[in-house]
Amino acid sequence: MKKKILSLVLCIMMVFCFSACSNKGDSKATGGNSGNIEVGIVLPTKDEPRWIQDQGKFEELLGKAGFTNQVLFSQGSSATEKANVETLISKGMKVLIICAQDASAAAATVEAAKAAGVTVIAYDRLITGTDAVDYYVTFDSVAVGEAMGTFLSEKASGTGNPLYLYAGAATDNNAFLFFQGAWNILQPKIADGTFVIKNSSEALALKDTKELTRDQLSTIIGQVTTDWDFNVAKSKAEAHLTAVSAADKGNVFVLVPNDGTSRSIADVFAADSDVSSYVITGQDAEVASIQYVIDGKQSMTVFKDTRTLAADSINMAVSILKGETPATDATYDNGKKEVPSKQTPVVVVTQDNVKSALIDSGYYDASKFTGLN
Ligand code: BGC
């Protein structure tokens, strides 16, 4: 009888432990005790494949490096982001790696971390208006936009080519850098008549201005933003194509800031019978977009190797935890300070190099795709 009671108690304990352990929501702790986190990572959303890729790399690399860590997602909310950072502070976090939901709203959040003695690394997106950002690990975001602008320009011949412009969320500093990069290349081609902007009166009004101020960029982005949201992107593209005449369509060129919004917008352009062909940009090399590239439904993507970015930030965190000064190779002005930064180059992926850039490099397994040569 005693034995039976003992095994029943053990069973209950096991069930309790199992449900407690699996009830961690979107967070994960590896490499040791979850109550003692050395490196905390906060990412914007689970709803975009881009950030799931980053999560995977972090967990793999930090686990290997032997550091206790936890990845939390903000799910599009600055309030959740703040709560996540507070949770990590309460668990003793020493280094915070954070990709902010909103560049300026995150300032107060990282100031709280800094006040608790945490070293703050902004990851991919810069946090603005605060001196509480110690380091910034990023891709060359102006180069991302320039790669898109160059791609569109190289595909266009003659004059009068219809151009549709889209941008990222105005709360994301990167949206400015991407657009600025694209504008660097596209503006001379708009000024000389190669392209004619069809969906932005604000961009059209500035067509002769090469160097846009932050306010001018804001005005254009305010008009053509996708908010990084697939549905916003879709309905904006639908509204734009409804507002123009058949003569404004034909062989069109579409600047789109990332893969998720690119697939949404590409579907809208593909469904319009007055659009005979479209050249469309993207970034992140998401699996679904690589399939679109292979199938000829998305023209290019800018591949940002998250293995490098995650590794760079982890190397930084390791140096910080060892009491060393991490290596940097650039600085970014966040409005309050020149933030020491580590910058990674980007690669343009098209049908021609999809295999060498993404499969042969080991980034993706070929079995994820169909029709790959
Ligand atoms: C990132 C992109 C991403 C976008 C939307 C940007 O800050 O740099 O890679 O597609 O946010 O999440």
Side-chain angles (χ1 to χ4, degrees):
M1 184 64 183
K2 253 191 180 172
K3 256 191 177 174
K4 270 195 181 158
I5 294 176
L6 194 66
S7 51
L8 187 70
V9 169
L10 272 175
C11 249
I12 293 171
M13 278 172 69
M14 276 170 75
V15 169
F16 179 77
C17 175
F18 179 76
S19 63
C21 295
S22 56
N23 190 22
K24 282 192 187 147
D26 59 10
S27 64
K28 242 192 175 166
T30 55
N33 173 10
S34 64
N36 177 18
I37 297 297
E38 289 161 300
V39 183
I41 297 134
V42 177
L43 297 175
T45 178
K46 274 189 155 180
D47 297 339
E48 292 176 44
R50 157 73 216 266
W51 305 114
I52 303 286
Q53 289 181 31
D54 295 67
Q55 176 194 20
K57 298 293 167 226
F58 275 123
E59 286 171 353
E60 182 190 324
L61 295 172
L62 275 168
K64 269 189 199 153
F67 285 103
T68 49
N69 65 89
Q70 186 161 21
V71 181
L72 297 174
F73 285 90
S74 312
Q75 291 310 102
S77 154
S78 293
T80 307
E81 179 177 273
K82 190 163 185 292
N84 284 340
V85 170
E86 281 160 3
T87 302
L88 293 166
I89 293 173
S90 73
K91 291 185 174 186
M93 161 177 68
K94 304 278 177 301
V95 179
L96 169 66
I97 299 174
I98 176 168
C99 183
Q101 183 53 42
D102 177 315
S104 56
T109 301
V110 294
E111 279 160 14
K114 196 85 195 117
V118 174
T119 303
V120 176
I121 302 175
Y123 180 77
D124 197 325
R125 297 179 180 169
L126 187 58
I127 296 168
T128 53
T130 178
D131 51 18
V133 185
D134 295 293
Y135 299 100
Y136 180 35
V137 180
T138 183
F139 293 102
D140 184 343
S141 296
V142 173
V144 170
E146 287 178 343
M148 293 175 178
T150 303
F151 187 86
L152 294 176
S153 300
E154 285 175 357
K155 296 280 173 206
S157 55
T159 56
N161 296 288
L163 177 66
Y164 292 79
L165 302 170
Y166 295 92
T171 49
D172 179 359
N173 189 57
N174 285 349
F176 287 77
L177 303 177
F178 300 147
F179 199 90
Q180 180 197 326
W183 189 258
N184 286 345
I185 310 293
L186 292 175
Q187 184 276 333
K189 297 279 177 189
I190 296 164
D192 76 7
T194 305
F195 291 118
V196 182
I197 299 168
K198 296 294 179 186
N199 69 329
S200 170
S201 53
E202 299 291 358
L204 200 56
L206 289 161
K207 74 179 177 58
D208 295 317
T209 310
K210 176 105 206 266
E211 302 280 331
L212 296 175
T213 63
R214 181 91 180 180
D215 284 349
Q216 289 169 329
L217 279 166
S218 257
T219 323
I220 301 175
I221 293 171
Q223 194 174 41
V224 297
T225 182
T226 58
D227 278 334
W228 293 133
D229 182 309
F230 312 160
N231 295 320
V232 173
K234 179 172 186 276
S235 44
K236 263 203 176 156
E238 282 167 352
H240 291 153
L241 289 185
T242 307
V244 298
S245 67
D248 295 320
K249 300 180 188 176
N251 299 312
V252 303
F253 294 79
V254 199
L255 173 75
V256 183
N258 81 345
D259 280 352
T261 55
S262 186
R263 295 192 299 279
S264 294
I265 294 173
D267 289 347
V268 174
F269 277 78
D272 190 311
S273 55
D274 292 324
V275 172
S276 345
S277 74
Y278 62 89
V279 179
I280 193 165
T281 62
Q283 78 166 301
D284 292 335
E286 287 182 2
V287 170
S289 276
I290 295 309
Q291 191 60 58
Y292 263 47
V293 168
I294 296 168
D295 295 343
K297 287 156 60 173
Q298 183 177 321
S299 319
M300 62 89 89
T301 184
V302 181
F303 171 42
K304 308 200 301 188
D305 195 330
T306 52
R307 291 174 300 193
T308 315
L309 206 62
D312 281 351
S313 23
I314 287 164
N315 288 340
M316 246 188 201
V318 170
S319 307
I320 294 162
L321 289 167
K322 282 188 186 157
E324 297 162 359
T325 305
T328 53
D329 53 18
T331 58
Y332 273 74
D333 184 354
N334 81 339
K336 257 293 168 56
K337 75 184 262 199
E338 291 288 333
V339 184
S341 307
K342 178 90 182 54
Q343 193 170 256
T344 294
V346 296
V347 176
V348 171
V349 173
T350 64
Q351 268 178 351
D352 297 339
N353 68 342
V354 67
K355 198 167 167 297
S356 61
L358 296 171
I359 312 296
D360 299 348
S361 75
Y363 196 75
Y364 286 136
D365 197 276
S367 63
K368 287 190 185 299
F369 308 103
T370 55
L372 197 64
N373 293 318

